[in-house]
Amino acid sequence: MVQLEHLTAPVDAVVARMRALDTALPARDGVAVFNRVYLAVTEEIDRRLDTGEFPDPRAAAALDVRFAERYLAAVDAAAADRRPPACWRPLFQLRRHPGVRPLQFALAGVNAHIGHDLALAVVDACRTLGCEPADLEDEFDRVGDLLVSLEERIREDLMPGPDLLQIADPLTHLLGSWSLERARDATWAAARALWALRHCGDVAEEFTERLDAAVGFAGRMLLTPLPD
């Protein structure tokens, strides 16, 4: 039991940070919309760690914490008037735009966090644990499955009603242009590439920068302001 508490303590800490953000931010703020989504995922991971549902709880906790720390570092950078990674900039720049719908904020945050942060978190966790990405594939898949189920809930909770979401609605086209399943597959490939390039200096840095920029571009498209 002591060992389990030792593993879950860092996860509890990031959950506490997200709960504090949820309390502090206005409900309509775009970052707050994503934070509520991500908080639900992290609480579920914490619950599953507590009940022993991960085959390798140490690996799962390490991946979850490294993953969350990337998002929280972006929040801290924006709060201190520093530039967050390119993948997060659209969300922080447009977080109060009245023409962006809550569903767009949620998916743009998921895009940044999955498309960029998760790949780097896999590498971070491998360094922490002294393992290879292949050793984390089960934990990666389990976290990914949670996120996919959450995406379905996001769409159900935040999707406009049928009378507002007609086939010609621009939001329909935006939603059809992005898939968490495809993003997760691309992230696993990116994580493996980053690990293979970890001793390649400038090449690894350039790969990371290009990944960051590409994910940021997709996020900016997801946050296209739409008419009422």
Side-chain angles (χ1 to χ4, degrees):
M1 186 63 172
V2 174
Q3 184 181 10
L4 182 59
E5 290 176 353
H6 174 71
L7 289 174
T8 59
V11 182
D12 292 340
V14 296
V15 167
R17 280 286 318 272
M18 289 181 216
R19 286 175 177 163
L21 284 170
D22 186 49
T23 300
L25 294 174
R28 183 60 175 77
D29 181 286
V31 176
V33 173
F34 168 72
N35 188 77
R36 287 194 294 274
V37 168
Y38 190 33
L39 174 58
V41 172
T42 309
E43 287 175 332
E44 179 61 18
I45 291 172
D46 197 16
R47 185 193 69 76
R48 295 189 184 193
L49 282 168
D50 285 339
T51 56
E53 295 182 39
F54 284 100
D56 187 344
R58 179 170 176 261
L63 179 59
D64 184 48
V65 171
R66 296 294 174 266
F67 189 30
E69 285 174 345
R70 294 245 167 215
Y71 159 61
L72 294 172
V75 170
D76 291 342
D81 290 326
R82 291 182 281 107
R83 281 165 68 85
C87 62
W88 284 107
R89 284 175 211 154
L91 180 59
F92 285 105
Q93 290 166 354
L94 296 169
R95 62 194 293 179
R96 298 181 182 88
H97 197 296
V100 179
R101 303 180 193 180
L103 178 59
Q104 293 174 262
F105 288 133
L107 292 183
V110 172
N111 169 70
H113 206 36
I114 299 295
H116 173 266
D117 292 356
L118 185 53
L120 273 62
V122 170
V123 175
D124 293 342
C126 285
R127 287 178 171 144
T128 297
L129 298 168
C131 67
E132 300 279 328
D135 299 318
L136 294 180
E137 189 167 5
D138 285 347
E139 283 66 37
F140 178 93
D141 287 342
R142 285 172 180 266
V143 171
D145 289 344
L146 265 177
L147 290 162
V148 168
S149 66
L150 183 73
E151 184 198 19
E152 295 170 358
R153 198 174 85 191
I154 290 169
R155 291 174 185 262
E156 289 174 2
D157 291 350
L158 299 180
M159 184 81 78
D163 56 324
L164 297 178
L165 194 62
Q166 304 300 324
I167 192 65
D169 191 313
L171 184 58
T172 306
H173 297 280
L174 280 179
L175 296 179
S177 69
W178 187 85
S179 160
L180 194 150
E181 286 274 17
R182 292 197 298 268
R184 186 176 70 167
D185 291 344
T187 292
W188 182 244
R192 293 175 62 202
L194 282 168
W195 184 252
L197 294 171
R198 66 191 184 282
H199 301 308
C200 295
D202 291 346
V203 178
E205 184 177 348
E206 181 178 354
F207 184 95
T208 303
E209 289 175 355
R210 291 184 180 275
L211 175 66
D212 189 20
V215 174
F217 178 76
R220 181 63 186 82
M221 297 301 291
L222 285 169
L223 291 171
T224 300
L226 302 174
D228 293 332

